[in-house]
Amino acid sequence: MSVLVWIDQFRGRVQPASWETLGLARTLAEDGRVVAVVIGEGVENVAQDAIAYGADAVLLYDDPLYRDFRFETYNAALKDATTSENPVLVLFPATTRGRDLSASFACTMDLGLAPDAQAVQVEEGRVVVKRPVYSGNMIATVVVETTPAVVSLRPRTAPMPEKDASRSGEVVKKGAVIDGSQVKTQVVGFEEKEAGEVSLTDARIIVSGGRGVKGPEGFEPLRELARVLGAAIGASRAAVDAGWISYDHQVGQTGKTVRPDVYIACGISGAIQHQAGMRESKIIVAINKDPEAPIFQIADYGIVDDLFKIVPALTKEARKRLGAS
Amino acid sequence: MKYIVLLKQTPDTAELPKITPEQALAGNEGVTKVMNPWDEYAVEEGIRLKERYGGETVAMSMGPEEVNEALKSALAMGCDRAVRLWDEAFEGSDVWGTALVLAKGIEKDGGADIVLTGKMSVDGNAGAVAHGVACKLGVSLLTQVAKIVEVTEETITVERLLDEGRETVVAPLPAVVSVVKEINEPRYPTFIRIRKASRAKIPVLSAADLGLSPEEVGASAAKVKWVNLEKPAPKKRQVVIIEGETPEEKAAKLLDYLMNVEKVI
Ligand SMILES: Cc1cc2nc3c(=O)[nH]c(=O)nc-3n(C[C@H](O)[C@H](O)[C@H](O)COP(=O)(O)OP(=O)(O)OC[C@H]3O[C@@H](n4cnc5c(N)ncnc54)[C@H](O)[C@@H]3O)c2cc1C
Ligand SMILES: Nc1ncnc2c1ncn2[C@@H]1O[C@H](COP(=O)(O)O)[C@@H](O)[C@H]1O
């Protein structure tokens, strides 16, 4: 039995959820083969990393044609990989790109799709998946009726495998599998996000602010705490809608779904739509002036106080203990 | 130019926690339903495209009669007309079945230069119907779209929101465009428009009208079967309220818990 895993990389930088997905594939495949599919330009080092994280082999589609993520070219490479490997399962990390590509690929190949899985099993050759639906208010068990099945795995649901640089495996070099002149979609520009920010979906720790931070400058003490903890910055919709912070920080129903080890909610009341995006966090800390705020009902630790007093005190204490800058 | 907005009617997000697995499986959630919140951005963008470039904006949904309410909301916002696709045979369709019905609906309506969708439905959470429709129609697919920069006779230029930044992409028309919340601020319908929309007669197209045979759609054609639905096991959370004389003391206690008890920092 073989399992194919698509590795999500952007300009050589791999989304860590890819390695978690590879780790899950390793457990599912048992004695079978785990084959990573790496698509990009100048990404041989990614292929080597895939082996170090548990792949038995890598199909490497390395060509200028794949510099940019485009459905036409990436689907063609995946189709080529699937045809040659005949896997039971094609797994994707459920990152933004992973969800997009898995959906487009599955439909192109007329295969069943189970997006955003939080558990995957193979029972007598059939793939069974548990996935959150109704915005996390229910868990559906679904059976994928096609072989292969196409599944994307929610980030931070499977453990991060150990990287072992001494592992060996075969890297099969594949070039462009379609004629580039037929590809009509063109990426004509790219503007990078502020460097150094920790991405919300991969973050182990998130410091999040709501209407209680009172303005754009109210996020500054949160950012300082985040720097000391190595955390990402989240926000409620109220803070985003007020224009205090950009939308890509929004957590919740109409923002991102996160599941860090610690979620520190500062000045967030904990509306049901906010909870939909963060309820799965391992530990939830609420800092809020109002002891009646619903956030305390789902929190593990609460401080009923002014966030402008508590957050700087936390930063100072954490800096002392962690010795960070 | 012609624009078709695909929209779904979904439970009001505030009522999602009240729905039981039994209700959901029976397809009768017993709660207030509204236009899927993500689709408001698609409707707004469809209207703005018409305002920018002229043409017609059509709202389309696959669903039973109650879906007319969501379509009327789209009319009230400013869509020119609405079309509903429904047949008992459609019941139990998975994302690809839904995408096939919608693609046929679009073709039956004479096609579109740009098809707009929301990012995801708040009940199914697949985020895959746009991908399916583009695939079935064999046209360009643009996802995570935060801005439509320009539309010409042959092409569309958009900005896509990536985790790493913003990307500008040009693709040939026709195209399916799925939008994110950042793209616009949906308008509130005027009273007059609401009144007018409430009287609208919305045509319905059946499987036969769309040239679909029952085995191509619905539960029997589904490539993914839902075998169980349950409430997530409630996490046992008993909040520990941290007391202390000063902020410093509270901060220190909290860090003790996080570092020494939970070992998460
Ligand atoms: C369709 C739909 C989708 C939605 N999607 C989302 C979503 O994705 N994400 C999301 O977050 N929301 C979403 N919402 C909005 C949601 O319902 C709430 O309105 C929003 O989460 C409230 O944000 P808040 O908690 O920051 O603000 P508020 O509810 O106003 O809470 C502010 C809190 O800050 C506290 N506070 C004030 N000052 C201080 C201080 N100095 N120190 C400590 N505490 C203080 C107050 O006690 C209060 O509890 C959605 C709503 C709808 C209808
Ligand atoms: N039954 C439907 N009728 C019309 N559009 C739909 C339907 N279901 C989904 N869509 C569109 O597809 C998007 C993604 O939905 P989903 O793939 O179900 O998460 C939604 O935001 C809608 O724009």
Side-chain angles (χ1 to χ4, degrees):
Chain A
M1 178 174 113
S2 91
V3 178
L4 224 56
V5 181
W6 178 68
I7 305 299
D8 186 2
Q9 66 80 31
F10 185 80
R11 303 192 168 189
R13 273 217 312 275
V14 176
Q15 295 251 12
S18 309
W19 306 138
E20 298 163 7
T21 309
L22 203 55
L24 176 80
R26 184 73 278 161
T27 19
L28 290 174
E30 293 175 352
D31 302 332
R33 252 159 84 84
V34 174
V35 180
V37 182
V38 174
I39 312 171
E41 184 191 19
V43 287
E44 282 220 44
N45 56 329
V46 176
Q48 290 306 331
D49 281 352
I51 288 172
Y53 278 108
D56 297 309
V58 179
L59 298 178
L60 175 63
Y61 297 84
D62 197 326
D63 192 274
L65 181 69
Y66 303 121
R67 189 192 61 202
D68 300 310
F69 172 89
R70 290 178 294 174
F71 289 112
E72 299 101 307
T73 57
Y74 277 52
N75 275 336
L78 279 166
K79 182 177 176 183
D80 182 73
T82 308
T83 317
S84 67
E85 279 301 319
N86 229 339
V88 174
L89 176 62
V90 187
L91 269 179
F92 295 73
T95 52
T96 308
R97 243 185 320 271
R99 290 195 68 164
D100 271 341
L101 184 59
S102 56
S104 175
F105 167 71
C107 194
T108 310
M109 302 282 287
D110 215 14
L111 298 172
L113 169 76
D116 210 23
Q118 57 181 38
V120 186
Q121 271 179 313
V122 184
E123 291 168 7
E124 286 158 20
R126 286 209 312 180
V127 175
V128 182
V129 163
K130 280 193 196 293
R131 56 175 297 252
V133 293
Y134 286 89
S135 303
N137 287 289
M138 264 182 264
I139 308 293
T141 307
V142 304
V143 177
V144 185
E145 308 261 322
T146 61
T147 307
V150 180
V151 175
S152 66
L153 179 74
R154 186 175 260 219
R156 296 181 56 77
T157 45
M160 178 65 77
E162 291 287 329
K163 184 176 183 180
D164 177 0
S166 70
R167 281 189 50 125
S168 61
E170 189 193 4
V171 177
V172 183
K173 286 188 187 158
K174 302 262 200 169
V177 289
I178 52 166
D179 174 7
S181 66
Q182 286 178 5
V183 183
K184 298 291 189 304
T185 306
Q186 299 293 342
V187 175
V188 295
F190 175 64
E191 194 187 310
E192 195 157 4
K193 205 162 70 183
E194 239 179 273
E197 271 181 34
V198 182
S199 131
L200 266 183
T201 33
D202 302 324
R204 277 203 325 107
I205 308 176
I206 294 174
V207 179
S208 198
R211 205 194 310 271
V213 308
K214 302 213 166 63
E217 60 292 337
F219 272 97
E220 272 319 307
L222 274 60
R223 285 204 184 89
E224 266 187 55
L225 177 59
R227 269 194 289 274
V228 175
L229 298 177
I233 292 286
S236 74
R237 175 166 169 178
V240 171
D241 282 356
W244 303 341
I245 189 159
S246 65
Y247 165 62
D248 48 345
H249 292 274
Q250 184 178 316
V251 172
Q253 183 99 66
T254 42
K256 294 209 165 73
T257 303
V258 298
R259 41 178 310 147
D261 291 344
V262 194
Y263 187 90
I264 308 178
C266 312
I268 293 176
S269 63
I272 207 80
Q273 295 91 349
H274 189 77
Q275 289 185 21
M278 46 68 77
R279 198 171 20 206
E280 294 289 309
S281 308
K282 209 148 115 199
I283 299 292
I284 296 171
V285 176
I287 304 169
N288 196 307
K289 282 201 297 203
D290 173 12
E292 303 297 321
I295 190 80
F296 287 116
Q297 286 164 21
I298 60 156
D300 301 280
Y301 297 98
I303 298 184
V304 182
D305 205 337
D306 184 352
L307 74 92
F308 291 106
K309 291 191 187 132
I310 299 298
V311 173
L314 269 172
T315 308
K316 212 168 131 200
E317 186 66 24
R319 193 175 276 145
K320 208 159 75 191
R321 296 191 192 191
L322 299 170
S325 53
Chain B
M1 287 280 162
K2 181 171 160 198
Y3 320 100
I4 294 186
V5 186
L6 301 179
L7 61 96
K8 189 176 185 184
Q9 190 174 47
T10 55
D12 186 335
T13 56
E15 301 199 20
L16 282 172
K18 292 184 201 156
I19 303 168
T20 64
E22 294 71 33
Q23 287 173 316
L25 282 174
N28 181 10
E29 286 113 345
V31 296
T32 317
K33 289 198 173 183
V34 294
M35 186 193 301
N36 179 35
W38 291 100
D39 300 351
E40 291 176 20
Y41 304 96
V43 172
E44 176 64 34
E45 202 57 25
I47 299 165
R48 288 194 190 184
L49 280 172
K50 184 181 72 165
E51 288 165 355
R52 271 167 81 178
Y53 298 106
E56 187 189 28
T57 302
V58 181
M60 185 178 284
S61 184
M62 179 189 100
E65 196 174 349
E66 59 170 12
V67 168
N68 281 342
E69 290 311 308
L71 287 169
K72 284 177 182 174
S73 307
L75 292 174
M77 282 174 74
C79 289
D80 298 297
R81 54 190 179 85
V83 180
R84 186 166 66 86
L85 316 173
W86 191 240
D87 197 299
E88 270 178 23
F90 299 165
E91 216 147 331
S93 295
D94 66 357
V95 276
W96 303 152
T98 305
L100 179 64
V101 171
L102 292 168
K104 292 286 180 190
I106 292 163
E107 280 170 355
K108 183 79 187 176
D109 201 72
D113 298 290
I114 300 174
V115 176
L116 293 147
T117 81
K119 182 187 166 90
M120 182 182 289
S121 56
V122 299
D123 48 2
N125 296 162
V129 165
H131 309 65
V133 171
C135 163
K136 305 280 182 201
L137 290 173
V139 303
S140 310
L141 169 65
L142 296 161
T143 58
Q144 319 299 337
V145 172
K147 186 176 180 181
I148 296 181
V149 182
E150 195 188 20
V151 178
T152 68
E153 282 299 312
E154 275 109 35
T155 64
I156 176 167
T157 306
V158 301
E159 283 181 19
R160 298 181 65 236
L161 206 59
L162 317 181
D163 290 343
E164 295 84 1
R166 260 173 192 263
E167 180 183 83
T168 309
V169 185
V170 187
L173 293 178
V176 175
V177 173
S178 96
V179 305
V180 294
K181 176 177 180 288
E182 230 198 18
I183 196 165
N184 58 42
E185 188 67 51
R187 71 194 66 190
Y188 289 105
T190 59
F191 180 67
I192 297 173
R193 279 202 153 276
I194 295 173
R195 279 251 313 261
K196 194 162 160 248
S198 72
R199 290 192 299 262
K201 287 269 175 292
I202 298 175
V204 193
L205 299 175
S206 68
D209 294 330
L210 300 178
L212 282 166
S213 61
E215 52 280 5
E216 289 178 273
V217 290
S220 57
K223 296 193 159 55
V224 173
K225 300 234 154 52
W226 290 36
V227 292
N228 188 41
L229 202 55
E230 63 201 344
K231 289 269 180 190
K235 280 238 174 69
K236 284 224 167 46
R237 297 207 197 260
Q238 188 55 40
V239 64
V240 175
I241 296 289
I242 295 172
E243 314 278 358
E245 293 298 317
T246 61
E248 287 70 27
E249 193 186 331
K250 292 182 188 176
K253 277 192 192 167
L254 175 62
L255 283 174
D256 283 342
Y257 277 117
L258 296 180
M259 296 173 85
N260 306 331
V261 180
E262 308 288 355
K263 299 194 185 350
V264 285
I265 289 182

